[in-house]
Amino acid sequence: MKVIAAHMQSLQKLITRPLLSYRWRFHTSCHSQQDMLKGKVDKWKGVTVDLGSPDCGLEGTYIQTSLRELDAFAGMLRKSLKQWKTEGKRAVWLKVPILQSRFVPVAASQGFQFHHADKQYSMLTTWLPKDHCKIPHFASHQIGVAGCVLREDTKEVLVVQDRNRETSHMWKLPGGLSDPGEDFGDTAVREVFEETGIKSEFQSILTVRQLHNYPGAFGKSDLYIVCRLRALSHDINHCADEIIGCKWTDVGELATTQSTSLISTHVARLVLHGFREGFDTIDIGMKELPAVFKNMTYKLYHRQIPDL
């Protein structure tokens, strides 16, 4: 911990030091502005340069010297862009590690814009042709998943009151945001257990809601997937930090009560129809199939059809 504290103290001094005290140390081959950055070319004629890779042609580290090397980087980038444009390259992606963020203004001055960022890096990009930019936008939606946990013997559904919502007085289905790389059903099962202590298993998708300009999604759209789950346990042990109340309630009551959201009402009506006519009439099932990419599979969700 002392080592980490000392490192953070040094970094803080570095951040508050005047800009003129920074310098970037390059590989010997990078001192000349005639050298080019090196990147990987993809099948769409795009070039990706990772400034954190030793193969990109430079090595950046914070040391106290002049800004001459930033000027050298600007020259390298300018020459590289000119060459890539001559070669017919289209998109240029510049991955900038967080500790090399001093390169961002240099890239921005030459037409780069932010595309997305993660915890340890930002990704900048620019479009070289004169036609309309065809670089795809970053993720347009966040994914929320709710679990409609059913007790088929009593025709009851699990509902909660969320502590951290303006509508905390309303009974709703438990759920939350999907983690990266997590299937819808796995999210529903995990969130239900974390919030209520109830174990369950995925059965199907009941419905999907799409909402644009969602306030909690940083200006992005929101997909809300409602999964039908089968209860594997019945004793509630809810998370007091997130949930005010939790209970099993009659599905018919949830379909008619005023103390719930419209989507919960509609889901309850779907479930009532499933109990009457069979869940095969409403279920969106899942089948896992091999992807065209090596050693990968994908989940295909659709209404069940007879095997041919």
Side-chain angles (χ1 to χ4, degrees):
M1 293 300 292
K2 291 182 178 179
V3 174
I4 295 175
H7 176 74
M8 293 304 294
Q9 187 176 13
S10 299
L11 185 59
Q12 181 63 32
K13 290 180 180 178
L14 185 67
I15 292 172
T16 56
R17 198 171 290 155
L19 179 62
L20 289 177
S21 65
Y22 288 100
R23 180 186 176 185
W24 289 96
R25 184 175 63 204
F26 290 75
H27 288 306
T28 303
S29 62
C30 295
H31 284 289
S32 169
Q33 293 190 11
Q34 301 305 309
D35 292 324
M36 286 182 54
L37 294 169
K38 300 174 178 63
K40 295 181 179 179
V41 179
D42 58 43
K43 62 182 179 181
W44 296 283
K45 297 183 179 180
V47 181
T48 299
V49 178
D50 183 354
L51 297 188
S53 169
D55 299 327
C56 76
L58 62 89
E59 178 186 3
T61 181
Y62 287 107
I63 58 176
Q64 285 182 264
T65 47
S66 71
L67 290 175
R68 224 168 6 138
E69 265 43 33
L70 281 181
D71 293 334
F73 171 71
M76 292 171 61
L77 183 58
R78 189 178 301 110
K79 178 175 171 51
S80 300
L81 291 172
K82 183 177 179 180
Q83 181 64 30
W84 290 328
K85 191 171 184 178
T86 301
E87 294 173 354
K89 301 300 189 294
R90 297 162 68 79
V92 179
W93 303 81
L94 194 63
K95 184 176 181 181
V96 185
I98 190 169
L99 291 180
Q100 293 178 318
S101 295
R102 288 292 175 184
F103 283 125
V104 170
V106 178
S109 70
Q110 298 193 34
F112 280 83
Q113 295 180 326
F114 283 117
H115 185 266
H116 67 273
D118 207 339
K119 293 181 180 179
Q120 296 300 322
Y121 73 91
S122 60
M123 184 70 80
L124 281 66
T125 189
T126 188
W127 183 251
L128 297 180
K130 293 183 179 180
D131 59 358
H132 176 70
C133 178
K134 296 181 175 63
I135 296 175
H137 291 287
F138 191 54
S140 60
H141 289 67
Q142 72 173 11
I143 307 294
V145 185
C148 181
V149 189
L150 299 179
R151 292 185 59 173
E152 297 189 15
D153 55 340
T154 61
K155 292 184 171 52
E156 290 179 312
V157 62
L158 186 68
V159 291
V160 299
Q161 289 177 316
D162 196 328
R163 179 179 300 277
N164 302 314
R165 299 289 182 89
E166 294 179 359
T167 55
S168 60
H169 64 284
M170 303 183 77
W171 291 99
K172 60 181 281 290
L173 302 174
L177 293 178
S178 186
D179 290 337
E182 189 174 47
D183 293 334
F184 301 142
D186 292 338
T187 300
V189 169
R190 173 181 58 78
E191 284 286 345
V192 165
F193 182 74
E194 290 176 358
E195 292 187 0
T196 71
I198 296 295
K199 296 180 179 179
S200 60
E201 66 179 5
F202 173 76
Q203 299 292 293
S204 70
I205 289 177
L206 291 174
T207 189
V208 179
R209 182 207 69 192
Q210 184 181 33
L211 176 63
H212 300 297
N213 298 316
Y214 186 70
F218 306 101
K220 301 297 183 181
S221 301
D222 179 80
L223 284 178
Y224 184 69
I225 317 293
V226 181
C227 297
R228 181 169 71 89
L229 307 179
R230 184 171 71 90
L232 299 179
S233 65
H234 301 146
D235 294 332
I236 294 171
N237 181 23
H238 74 269
C239 174
D241 292 337
E242 297 184 38
I243 304 301
I244 298 174
C246 180
K247 67 178 182 178
W248 294 100
T249 191
D250 181 77
V251 175
E253 179 181 339
L254 186 64
T256 56
T257 183
Q258 298 298 312
S259 59
T260 190
S261 62
L262 283 176
I263 190 168
S264 297
T265 299
H266 280 266
V267 169
R269 291 174 181 173
L270 281 171
V271 171
L272 285 175
H273 183 84
F275 279 135
R276 287 195 308 266
E277 306 296 333
F279 282 101
D280 58 315
T281 62
I282 60 171
D283 278 347
I284 301 173
M286 181 272 290
K287 181 174 289 189
E288 187 169 3
L289 299 172
V292 296
F293 307 104
K294 186 177 181 180
N295 299 324
M296 293 181 66
T297 61
Y298 61 88
K299 306 296 192 303
L300 189 66
Y301 297 90
H302 58 81
R303 291 286 299 276
Q304 297 301 305
I305 58 175
D307 292 331
L308 300 178

